[in-house]
Amino acid sequence: MRTDLQMIRAHMGYVFGASLVAWRQYEEHRTMCFFANFVGNRTCKSAHGSSCIVARVLLIVLTIIFACNPSAAHETQPISIRGTRKQGFVIKSSDLVVLESRLGEKQLTETGVYVCLSASLPVYATPLVETYTERELIMHSISSRPTPLASDGGAAGHMSSSASGYPTEANFSSASAQARRPHNYPFISQSSSVQTMQPVNHPMENIDVFWRTEPLQAFLDFPENISVENGQVESSVGVMASDEHVKRTDWQEWADQLITPDDPLESSWSDVLVDGDVPDHKPMVMEPSIGSSARQTHVHHPMPSGETCLDTTPLPTAPQHKARMRWTPEHHEAFVEAVNKLGGSERATPKCVLKLMNVEGLTIYHVKSHLQKYRTARYKPESSEGRPEKKLAPLEEITSLDLKNRSIGITEALKLQMEVQKQLHEQLEIQRNLQLRIEEQGRYLQMMFEQQKKMDDERLKASSSNPDESPAPLPTKVVQPSLPADDLTASEQDNVKTGSGGTSATTALEEIPQHPDARGSSPQPTKRARVD
Amino acid sequence: MKFGKRLKQQIQETFPGWRDKFVSYKDLKKLVRLISAAPPMMNGSLEFGRAEAEFVYSLNNEIEKLNAFFMEQEEDFVIRHKEVKQRIERVAHIWGPNGSNPSEMIHKEEMERIKKDIVDFHGEMVLLMNYSNVNYTGLAKILKKYDKRTGGLLRSPFIQKVLQQPFFTTDLISKLVKECETTIDTVFPAAAEENEGGGGGGEGIQREGDTIKVSGEGIFRNAVAALLTMQELRRGSSTYSHFSLPPLNLSDSDLIQSVQLNSPIPIP
């Protein structure tokens, strides 16, 4: 086990070192290919086994990163994995270019692998480094023309079996996001939407939550069950991604770290990642609750600049969905603009729209589904799909001209409808505000309660040493909250036209002082007859 | 059980596609009952802890469900909102008096269609807000029950969390509704054109003397139902406290007083 680890590290170190050199000449992809080939051959000739595969696969990714072929990034060709899977890796010089170009459109294949990469700038190095898992890299490599290397046949087979080991080791509920296919290629939802247009990118932010942790975790799990702190990884991953400038230094550090032996793999990874500069702006909020307590994340839109943050609502639910996106009109505007630039909703592809939109936290999933909705809404202007079924009353019923039962005209009917709807809206707004305030009040009361209790405790302590002192009078303290409460209820009365309701609320509040020992510190409402 | 019944009623009356997206009030109540039935933790029993955990887990799942549905609908509305505006522009652009192909008849026809759609759109958005509110109320009630039954203190912090959830932060939808109302005002000319005895009103709306009968299962009906339910829910309860909402008093002049709902058409 240990030797395997060391071997891997050695391989990686080698690869990294070589890649650093290569990186500086990234514009000449021919060199890349040459290098890749060279390294590939080298690693191929080394010891067989999973370590070899890892290294080989790593190199593919690196080459992809460094290949610079922006025009190809716009090609959207599906990556078909099924057919080529059996044929193992592809490391051919020309293929690498093709490979890179192929990584345009993400394609949900039967194996459930979902890859979206568009490489063009070295900034991609960072996020793609995170793709160091055998599974993903296989997918990359398989996309281009299958040219099996001689030694690959066995290796591929071996790899698939070793890959299957990982899902079981990865004991995170993010694993549930992966569909377990019979041949054990787990579903990886990822989207590293990197833009070619903008130099300052934050690709990591676009990467789906589960994708981010999962590959890293899986890799770190190999070959030992190294449990890395989710939080550490998460925050460091975020940190890493957001600053472009540190990319170069990161690479250096990585290379250094990985070449030095004896450090546990875990710490070397963590150190490397953590050493990235802290970004000035707010990175994706990636709280360490991914994994065993994987939760739904949704993207909220706080900043006008179009940046989005992942709000992490700490719900321990199974992550069947990808991070949910909350579309705002601004987002939609940007979306429509992008679509129009690309020639309309029919011609635009999710990947390109994603790139054009350049919104942090937006994944290709979001764009895809949004595009679908958009298309439907446009081509069915009368009744978009999302609308619930409406039963139109039969015409006979309406056109019957009865003296008593007069059918009303369209406009009048519409006006009527609007009236009711407006009223419902108004009442809902009021109700919602009331609910908010009620909770606010409740919190305030609770606070007062707790404060009072604290004071009581203190006074008790004081009085134990000084028996003459008496505890502070209770009502004066607690009556205070009823004053703001009065204000609130008074204003609400105007809105709601509920005289009785308002006074009931106030009397209820005033009754609190008489029950200071209500359960705990929370002013639990006791069952009482309606005060009226 | 009053709320439970009301909720059930409302679910029945709502759109078919929405029926399973409401909070599972009844099931949650059952869980609370289980918890209170389970022996308390002090006795070293595991049941309580397990039941409690299940309750919290279910709550979170419910919230998730609500969020997902709400955001999905919200997204749809954002799209449609823009589309409606564009549609109006397009129609005016093509068939309007200054348009490229002015045709009063087609213009009028299209505008009629748009009017109908926009009013329905407005209605749907409002109904989504109602959805949000009803579910919030359900959750608040469940939490209150839980605290009461178990003496726990789950309600307060949990409800704070709920208040932050997407499905309850309806500001965007509210804004869209208001914008919609403005658009409607511009689309509907100020002069009310009475269209006596002809054409189809959106749903079966008939005037019987002073009452307006609404049949069908459409948006208007749902809106009316929602308002009535709201009124019912806020009538005095036996557990009235400072956490309860005051009664909903719609003024006598309000339209809603004169609206009578026919029983819903049964679904085969």
Side-chain angles (χ1 to χ4, degrees), chain A residues 21-79:
Chain A
V21 172
W23 182 48
R24 284 174 192 132
Q25 309 161 16
Y26 68 89
E27 260 148 13
E28 303 159 22
H29 66 246
R30 199 173 287 231
T31 318
M32 288 301 92
C33 303
F34 191 73
F35 138 75
N37 226 1
F38 166 71
V39 178
N41 287 335
R42 184 169 181 329
T43 53
C44 195
K45 280 161 190 149
S46 61
H48 289 283
S50 44
S51 56
C52 169
I53 296 152
V54 173
R56 197 205 324 263
V57 150
L58 284 178
L59 101 88
I60 293 168
V61 172
L62 289 169
T63 329
I64 295 163
I65 296 165
F66 303 137
C68 180
N69 200 352
S71 59
H74 285 285
E75 280 177 40
T76 58
Q77 296 176 24
I79 300 170

Side-chain angles (χ1 to χ4, degrees), chain A residues 226-277:
Chain A
I226 300 166
S227 62
V228 180
E229 303 271 5
N230 280 349
Q232 201 175 20
V233 170
E234 273 301 284
S235 52
S236 50
V237 158
V239 156
M240 177 141 205
S242 43
D243 202 324
E244 188 189 9
H245 305 297
V246 290
K247 299 295 187 291
R248 208 172 256 242
T249 51
D250 278 347
W251 278 107
Q252 302 268 12
E253 282 164 354
W254 280 46
D256 292 342
Q257 294 272 1
L258 289 158
I259 290 171
T260 57
D262 298 331
D263 294 46
L265 190 59
E266 167 190 353
S267 65
S268 72
W269 273 96
S270 314
D271 291 342
V272 163
L273 293 171
V274 164
D275 283 342
D277 284 353

Side-chain angles (χ1 to χ4, degrees), chain A residues 370 390 397 412 423 431, chain B residues 75 120 133 206-207 254:
Chain A
H370 197 79
K390 289 186 323 175
E397 207 180 304
E412 199 182 325
Q423 198 169 54
Q431 183 156 312
Chain B
E75 190 180 340
D120 282 344
N133 206 285
Q206 288 182 316
R207 208 166 214 136
D254 277 342

Side-chain angles (χ1 to χ4, degrees), chain B residues 22 54 58 66-67 90 102 128 159 163 181 191 207 239 266:
Chain B
F22 280 80
E54 194 181 340
S58 306
L66 298 172
N67 277 340
R90 230 184 5 245
L128 184 68
I159 208 75
L163 288 174
E181 281 170 16
R207 208 166 214 136
T239 54

Side-chain angles (χ1 to χ4, degrees), chain B residues 75-258:
Chain B
E75 190 180 340
D76 277 334
F77 289 150
V78 167
I79 296 177
R80 277 165 69 186
H81 181 78
K82 184 144 168 66
E83 281 310 299
V84 154
K85 282 199 275 192
Q86 276 193 348
R87 221 174 119 193
I88 295 175
E89 273 175 33
R90 230 184 5 245
V91 164
H93 191 71
I94 301 177
W95 291 298
N98 305 329
S100 55
N101 186 11
S103 154
E104 207 189 306
M105 198 186 75
I106 300 181
H107 181 81
K108 198 167 176 196
E109 230 176 77
E110 287 293 316
M111 285 311 278
E112 289 296 310
R113 238 182 267 159
I114 289 179
K115 275 187 212 170
K116 171 117 185 36
D117 286 345
I118 205 173
V119 170
D120 282 344
F121 177 53
H122 179 271
E124 279 181 61
M125 287 200 284
V126 174
L127 283 168
L128 184 68
M129 287 185 72
N130 181 57
Y131 165 90
S132 158
N133 206 285
V134 163
N135 287 313
Y136 171 83
T137 312
L139 283 174
K141 282 186 178 285
I142 275 288
L143 285 168
K144 181 174 152 187
K145 277 195 210 298
Y146 174 88
D147 272 9
K148 198 166 98 171
R149 290 264 192 148
T150 65
L153 293 174
L154 183 63
R155 199 201 81 90
S156 198
F158 206 91
I159 208 75
Q160 291 300 323
K161 190 176 90 166
V162 172
L163 288 174
Q164 313 280 341
Q165 296 297 312
F167 84 88
F168 193 66
T169 50
T170 52
D171 306 298
L172 176 59
I173 290 284
S174 195
K175 190 176 91 162
L176 290 180
V177 168
K178 292 204 186 98
E179 277 184 34
C180 201
E181 281 170 16
T182 342
T183 316
I184 288 175
D185 287 336
T186 59
V187 163
F188 277 82
E193 309 143 20
E194 280 286 327
N195 202 0
E196 287 275 320
E203 342 195 343
I205 304 176
Q206 288 182 316
R207 208 166 214 136
E208 251 181 32
D210 277 338
T211 42
I212 304 163
K213 276 184 145 184
V214 188
S215 50
E217 284 197 342
I219 293 169
F220 182 35
R221 183 207 163 69
N222 275 305
V224 169
L227 258 177
L228 292 174
T229 309
M230 206 198 264
Q231 194 171 25
E232 280 298 308
L233 275 175
R234 279 166 63 170
R235 269 196 196 142
S237 84
S238 56
T239 54
Y240 197 76
S241 74
H242 53 269
F243 284 108
S244 308
L245 288 168
L248 178 65
N249 280 343
L250 299 168
S251 72
D252 291 326
S253 60
D254 277 342
L255 184 63
I256 196 76
Q257 306 292 357
S258 52

